[in-house]
Amino acid sequence: MFESIEFQASLVGLVTGVLYSWLRLPIPAPNVLGGILAIWGTYLGLIIVQALK
C-alpha cells in the first residue's frame, strides 16, 4: 500500500522530526535556506548527469 519511496522518506522524516522535537534535540537537517538549496542542487546535479548519459 505505502510502497512509494517518497512517501516512506516523508514518513521517516516526520517521525524523526517528532522524535527530535520531543527529546529537545536539534534537528539533523539544515535549518537554513542555504542548506536546503544545497540539497536541491545536489539532486538536480544528479538528474542532469543521468540525463546526459
Side-chain angles (χ1 to χ4, degrees):
M1 178 179 180
F2 299 114
E3 295 184 22
S4 165
I5 293 296
E6 291 81 7
F7 178 79
Q8 291 174 4
S10 297
L11 185 61
V12 168
L14 178 65
V15 170
T16 301
V18 168
L19 182 62
Y20 274 69
S21 178
W22 185 61
L23 296 174
R24 297 176 190 236
L25 297 170
I27 61 170
N31 58 359
V32 294
L33 183 58
I36 295 168
L37 292 176
I39 292 170
W40 274 102
T42 303
Y43 180 69
L44 289 175
L46 173 71
I47 290 174
I48 290 169
V49 170
Q50 287 178 348
L52 293 174
K53 286 186 174 182

